[in-house]
């Protein structure tokens, strides 16, 4: 489970990485909600599905549930997607069955 | 090797609305005909895409309501006032209309039917939808795990899946928590879910239950705090937040 929001700083509502499975498949080619990411700042390890995702603005921002570091963010225009992963140390994606 | 068939790459699939059912005062269930639908497990969702004649399109996620493994694709959409996609789906959609979906999506907020531990479901508003898929799957398989539902909703006219939930309520599987207007039979004062509600109606934490919590983000946050306070193991809790646009 990811921790309730009052313990974090980001204002505004969020969904879970799980709800962005489709959007991330546009970037990674598949559903990566069960991939495990590690935060570069605090070392927290969590499934992409559990990461708080802020998508009310023009782009999407995924933040570490423990320390609020921006793990991943992207914005899509008609011609491309611009993806940044400033706070992501690693992403472990299981082999397809 | 028998299982060499690769998973189909995730693509947009054309879907035709084959049935439209009014589910409550504000919600509608849509059945979709989709060729080559690969099937889903309970808890998963689809992305739904509407495209206007001028090419403008909008995509929103919707949970699957139908039982896992059934091959049936049904979603239930509640009205978000002023909402772009939900207004069409709840009021404009008719049998024969076309749209697109992709999925099934989400590998995390899913009930694994090979688990036999007790399962506590807690839903707020339209957050009941993926939990209903779990209850339907449980029922279709005559699954041995204990499963219970706490359902928070404004009043009886907002209830989704009323015939099915009424009979589960009679069996003691479902508890309704009215936030605004309780029924005459209910002794609980109207209001948001409390620690007392969990103590009275949720599966005892000593039984090591898993829990699925779904609904508007604020509702989910509240329930997660209450569940951990009640003694549920955070590792066994899975949550799906719908955002704040969706109604409670
Ligand atoms: C994984 C997942 C599963 C979901 N499953 C379901 C489901 O089974 N059933 C269901 O009913 N919903 C579900 N939802 C919610 C659903 O995806 C939509 O968010 C919901 O239907 C509202 O979409 P909309 O296009 O109608 O509203 P939107 O047009 O997106 O508007 C949402 C809210 O924002 C407000 N708003 C919009 N634009 C502005 C603006 N410019 N300024 C200020 N306010 C604005 C609107 O008034 C409204 O209150 C799910 C969400 C997730 C993440
Ligand atoms: Zn961190």
């Amino acid at each position: 489970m990811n921790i309730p929001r009052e313990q974090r700083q980001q204002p505004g509502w969020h969904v879970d990485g799980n709800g962005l499975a489709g959007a991330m498949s546009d970037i990674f080619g598949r559903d990566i909600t069960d991939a495990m990411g590690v935060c570069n700042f605090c070392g927290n390890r969590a499934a992409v599905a559990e990461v708080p995702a802020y998508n009310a603005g023009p782009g999407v921002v995924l933040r570490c549930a423990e320390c609020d570091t921006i793990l991943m963010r992207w914005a899509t225009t008609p011609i491309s997607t611009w993806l940044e992963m400033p706070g992501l140390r690693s992403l472990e994606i299981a082999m397809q069955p | 090797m028998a299982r060499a068939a690769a998973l189909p790459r995730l693509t947009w699939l054309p879907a035709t609305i084959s049935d439209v059912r009014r589910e409550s005062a504000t919600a509608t269930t849509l059945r979709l005909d989709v060729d080559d639908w690969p099937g889903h497990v309970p808890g998963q969702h689809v992305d739904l895409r509407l495209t206007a004649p001028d090419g403008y399109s909008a995509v929103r996620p919707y949970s699957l309501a139908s039982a896992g493994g059934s091959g049936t694709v049904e979603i239930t959409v509640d009205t978000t006032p002023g909402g772009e996609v939900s207004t069409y789906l709840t009021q404009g959609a008719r049998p024969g209309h076309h749209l697109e979906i992709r999925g099934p999506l989400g590998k995390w907020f899913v009930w694994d039917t090979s688990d036999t531990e007790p399962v506590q479901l807690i839903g707020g508003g339209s957050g009941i939808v993926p939990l209903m898929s779990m209850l339907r799957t449980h029922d279709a398989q005559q699954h041995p795990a204990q499963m219970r539902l706490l359902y928070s909703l404004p009043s009886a006219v907002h209830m989704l899946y009323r015939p099915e939930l009424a009979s589960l309520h009679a069996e003691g599987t479902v508890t309704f928590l009215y936030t605004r207007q309780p029924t005459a039979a209910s002794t609980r004062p109207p209001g948001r879910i409390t620690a007392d509600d969990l103590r009275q109606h949720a599966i005892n934490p000593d039984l090591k239950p898993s829990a699925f919590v779904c609904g508007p983000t604020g509702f989910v946050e509240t329930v997660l705090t209450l569940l951990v306070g009640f003694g549920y193991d955070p590792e066994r809790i899975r949550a799906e937040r719908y955002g704040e646009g969706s109604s409670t």
Side-chain angles (χ1 to χ4, degrees):
Chain A
M1 108 184 201
N2 82 42
I3 57 167
R5 185 169 63 79
E6 49 276 16
Q7 296 164 37
R8 291 197 300 271
Q9 285 122 46
Q10 171 94 24
W13 56 264
H14 62 286
V15 299
D16 305 276
N18 197 58
L20 292 164
M24 285 188 282
S25 80
D26 283 334
I27 302 171
F28 294 95
R30 48 183 288 203
D31 183 341
I32 60 155
T33 50
D34 60 346
M36 300 297 293
V38 175
C39 172
N40 204 20
F41 183 75
C42 76
N44 184 48
R45 187 169 187 272
V48 169
E50 294 205 290
V51 172
Y54 297 81
N55 62 349
V60 178
V61 181
L62 302 189
R63 285 181 180 268
C64 174
E66 292 293 333
C67 77
D68 252 9
T69 289
I70 295 178
L71 301 174
M72 211 190 278
R73 76 175 151 217
W74 70 87
T76 299
T77 71
I79 53 161
S80 67
T81 293
W82 182 264
L83 170 69
E84 294 173 334
M85 299 194 264
L88 196 61
R89 183 182 304 165
S90 63
L91 191 61
E92 179 189 355
I93 304 174
M95 291 303 233
Q96 296 271 26
Chain B
M1 250 174 46
R3 53 181 306 215
L7 286 175
R9 207 187 137 89
L10 199 56
T11 50
W12 289 103
L13 301 168
T16 306
I17 298 174
S18 60
D19 187 37
V20 178
R21 287 200 307 279
R22 183 127 289 266
E23 195 68 67
S24 77
T26 54
T28 300
T29 292
L30 303 175
R31 180 177 287 215
L32 305 175
D33 261 358
V34 188
D35 285 343
D36 301 323
W37 176 250
H40 71 279
V41 290
Q44 288 190 297
H45 64 274
V46 293
D47 276 353
L48 185 150
R49 179 162 77 180
L50 299 179
T51 306
D54 67 359
Y56 172 78
S57 70
V59 178
R60 299 286 184 275
Y62 290 99
S63 300
L64 290 155
S66 32
S70 63
T72 304
V73 183
E74 278 189 1
I75 59 169
T76 303
V77 181
D78 208 346
T79 306
T80 294
E84 203 177 343
V85 174
S86 65
T87 303
Y88 162 75
L89 293 174
T90 54
Q91 287 157 46
R94 298 285 178 272
H97 285 192
H98 300 288
L99 44 83
E100 291 169 293
I101 63 169
R102 65 177 171 192
L105 295 166
K107 299 178 181 175
W108 195 256
F109 189 79
V110 291
W111 177 47
D112 179 351
T113 54
S114 65
D115 285 348
T116 52
E117 64 201 11
V119 185
Q120 179 64 53
L121 311 174
I122 305 186
S126 51
I128 183 79
V129 177
L131 310 182
M132 194 66 209
S133 176
M134 295 179 192
L135 283 166
R136 286 170 166 166
T137 309
H138 184 269
D139 185 56
Q141 300 190 359
Q142 309 232 312
H143 198 280
Q146 181 187 13
M147 187 176 271
R148 267 198 216 165
L149 169 69
L150 294 184
Y151 179 14
S152 167
L153 69 169
S155 73
V157 300
H158 295 89
M159 191 183 298
L160 308 185
Y161 318 118
R162 180 192 295 263
E164 282 167 278
L165 290 182
S167 68
L168 288 170
H169 175 68
E171 291 167 17
T173 302
V174 177
T175 305
F176 303 118
L177 305 171
Y178 296 105
T179 59
R180 280 186 234 141
Q181 199 189 344
T183 55
S186 140
T187 52
R188 178 184 177 276
R192 285 168 186 261
I193 185 168
T194 64
D196 242 12
D197 292 325
L198 293 189
R199 269 196 296 278
Q200 285 183 38
H201 304 291
I203 296 172
N204 192 302
D206 294 344
L207 298 174
K208 304 248 178 286
S210 59
F212 292 91
V213 184
C214 184
T217 300
F219 171 84
V220 170
E221 307 277 310
T222 303
V223 172
L224 294 181
T225 305
L226 292 176
L227 275 177
V228 174
F230 184 42
Y232 274 55
D233 177 359
E235 295 296 318
R236 290 176 195 261
I237 303 175
R238 298 210 167 174
E240 182 91 280
R241 294 164 176 83
Y242 276 4
E244 287 307 331
S246 58
S247 59
T248 325

